[in-house]
Structures are given as structure tokens and as C-alpha cells.
């Protein structure tokens, strides 16, 4: 059985085309994976920065909460002191 040169050429060209398409697809996938890897690293760094900012804000809120508790306790003392300065409330009927 003899095979014509045109048939051999067609088989070789189809095989090389398929091999080229597979190689191009593999190359595109590897580049896409690399870009996603860089993007994930960048996003992870940004998330770490934002998390650090949230930690700082949380610490500030804790400090502010402690200060508010202190002011509330001092406010109670001030109310008591003012009530002592004002004296008892006046009566409706005057004593004779």
C-alpha cells in the first residue's frame, strides 16, 4: 500500500497544528495562573494592611470606651456634689 505525499503532508500539518494549539493553550493557561498568583499576593498584602488598620481602630475604641466609663463615674460624683450644694428641695408650705 502506498501513501501519497499529499496525504502525508496533510497528516503532518494537522498534527503540527494541533500540537501548536495545545502548546499555545498551555502557555496561555500558565500566564493566566501567574497573573492570578500575583493578584492574590497583592490582595493579601492589602488585606493585611486593612486588618492592621482595623486593629488600630479597635484599640482606639477600647481606649475611648475606658475613658467614657471613667467620665461616667466622675459624672456621678459631680451630680452628688451638686445635689449637696443645692440643699434639700423647698417645701410647698412654709413652716411657722
Amino acid at each position: 500500500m502506498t501513501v501519497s505525499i499529499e496525504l502525508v503532508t496533510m497528516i503532518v500539518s494537522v498534527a503540527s497544528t494541533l500540537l501548536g494549539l495545545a502548546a499555545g493553550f498551555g502557555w496561555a493557561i500558565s500566564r493566566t495562573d501567574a497573573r492570578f498568583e500575583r493578584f492574590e499576593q497583592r490582595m493579601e498584602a492589602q488585606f493585611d494592611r486593612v486588618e492592621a488598620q482595623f486593629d488600630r481602630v479597635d484599640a482606639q475604641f477600647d481606649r475611648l470606651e475606658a475613658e467614657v466609663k471613667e467620665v461616667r463615674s466622675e459624672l456621678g460624683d459631680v451630680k452628688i456634689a451638686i445635689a449637696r450644694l443645692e440643699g434639700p428641695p423647698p417645701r410647698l408650705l412654709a413652716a411657722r
Side-chain angles (χ1 to χ4, degrees), residues 78-90:
V78 169
K79 284 181 180 180
I80 292 171
I82 290 175
R84 287 182 182 159
L85 288 175
E86 289 177 353

Side-chain angles (χ1 to χ4, degrees), residues 32-50:
T32 303
D33 286 344
R35 285 187 86 178
F36 276 122
E37 182 73 26
R38 286 193 311 258
F39 179 74
E40 286 177 357
Q41 289 173 352
R42 225 176 42 222
M43 290 304 295
E44 190 67 33
Q46 288 179 353
F47 283 137
D48 290 342
R49 244 190 335 261
V50 168

Side-chain angles (χ1 to χ4, degrees), residues 2-60:
T2 60
V3 180
S4 67
I5 190 70
E6 289 88 12
L7 185 60
V8 171
T9 305
M10 183 64 83
I11 291 172
V12 169
S13 66
V14 168
S16 64
T17 302
L18 289 177
L19 183 65
L21 284 173
F25 183 72
W27 174 79
I29 292 296
S30 67
R31 278 190 53 106
T32 303
D33 286 344
R35 285 187 86 178
F36 276 122
E37 182 73 26
R38 286 193 311 258
F39 179 74
E40 286 177 357
Q41 289 173 352
R42 225 176 42 222
M43 290 304 295
E44 190 67 33
Q46 288 179 353
F47 283 137
D48 290 342
R49 244 190 335 261
V50 168
E51 188 174 334
Q53 287 176 347
F54 278 139
D55 290 342
R56 284 194 305 267
V57 168
D58 189 36
Q60 288 175 351

Side-chain angles (χ1 to χ4, degrees), residues 55-73:
D55 290 342
R56 284 194 305 267
V57 168
D58 189 36
Q60 288 175 351
F61 276 133
D62 289 342
R63 192 178 70 239
L64 183 63
E65 184 178 353
E67 290 176 2
V68 166
K69 284 182 182 178
E70 183 180 335
V71 167
R72 279 188 180 170
S73 67

